[in-house]
Amino acid sequence: PYADKFQFYEFFIHNKSGRTLDSCYIGYYHDPDCSDYGEETLLLSDPTFSDPNIPDAILQRDFDADIGGATIPHSLGILEDYSFGMAVLETPKNVGVKTFHYYTDAGPTNDRLLWHIISNNLNDTDIAGIVAKYFHGTNPNIDDVSLIASIGKSDWVDIVASGPFTMEPDEMVKSTIVGAVGEDDADFYRQIDQAVAMYDFKFVGPSAPPAPTLSVTTGDGKVTLYWGDISERTPDSFTGDLDFEGYRIYRSQDNGQT
């Protein structure tokens, strides 16, 4: 079925402090485990989060492969051999994704440390001894996931964030993401593309055209059905195309009970 492998999440952040807040960030801590335990890798659809034509998607799966990579069921006996992840669809004030860092689980829970990671401040003395754990590559804002190939299998988690931005008193900003799963990498990206299309269309997906008005005449051992062509003439609300596929006619032998 359409749209059965992704879920949207909308977040509204309201400044009720009564004062202007500057240097604001909104971020997501991402810890999927769709692989053999501790044998994960991460993939980015756009490694720079800068191409407006490519969704800002983060994919996690087994390190070995997207099909048949995971071979060991987890503690509940379920084999998680699929590709799972998320995409950022909307950021506050359209600032875009400005932070992406990955590290081995479990990461810091101390706000003082998390702030420097989210705000890409790798020179602060609070994290002087652990910079290499949270910053990978030459870009201090966006980590290089290609380095995972040389680092090796691990239980990876990541933080993706947007900022900085300023919020005036009583101002509200919005952020939207989508979580998706695919049978393999290609299927995951198909789900993300469908989700982006639905988001762009205000969360409206494909729907059936209006049903035609049906009339019936009876004859000797037969009935004749008549209907109009409104279904054929109505554009798809999702694509705008005239893509009518056909009619289905059912005959009941129990007065419509089944």
Side-chain angles (χ1 to χ4, degrees), residues 15-190:
N15 179 11
K16 295 185 176 181
S17 68
R19 59 189 177 88
T20 299
L21 302 178
D22 61 11
S23 302
C24 298
Y25 283 80
I26 179 172
Y28 302 97
Y29 175 83
H30 188 217
D31 182 19
D33 292 292
C34 298
S35 66
D36 290 337
Y37 179 74
E39 297 188 3
E40 303 166 5
T41 192
L42 297 171
L43 303 173
L44 300 179
S45 55
D46 175 13
T48 63
F49 290 96
S50 61
D51 190 332
N53 298 312
I54 301 176
D56 291 330
I58 305 164
L59 184 157
Q60 183 270 337
R61 61 155 166 84
D62 195 87
F63 185 93
D64 295 320
D66 62 336
I67 301 177
T71 58
I72 305 172
H74 61 40
S75 59
L76 297 179
I78 299 174
L79 180 65
E80 296 186 323
D81 186 31
Y82 48 87
S83 301
F84 180 83
M86 63 171 286
V88 179
L89 303 178
E90 180 179 4
T91 61
K93 303 190 176 186
N94 295 318
V95 298
V97 173
K98 301 300 182 183
T99 296
F100 173 74
H101 298 295
Y102 60 86
Y103 45 91
T104 54
D105 198 15
T109 56
N110 185 306
D111 286 345
R112 188 178 72 245
L113 299 181
L114 279 171
W115 169 250
H116 299 304
I117 297 170
I118 290 175
S119 61
N120 308 305
N121 187 10
L122 74 170
N123 295 316
D124 193 276
T125 55
D126 285 338
I127 59 172
I130 55 174
V131 169
K133 182 176 180 180
Y134 301 105
F135 295 82
H136 303 89
T138 58
N139 185 340
N141 301 328
I142 306 297
D143 279 4
D144 184 352
V145 294
S146 70
L147 298 176
I148 292 178
S150 58
I151 297 173
K153 304 173 180 179
S154 188
D155 184 10
W156 295 112
V157 299
D158 63 80
I159 286 180
V160 57
S162 301
F165 55 90
T166 299
M167 293 187 67
E168 300 299 332
D170 204 38
E171 184 178 9
M172 182 179 293
V173 297
K174 179 184 172 187
S175 180
T176 305
I177 64 173
V178 62
V181 63
E183 299 299 325
D184 53 26
D185 293 355
D187 187 37
F188 170 81
Y189 289 121
R190 279 193 296 271

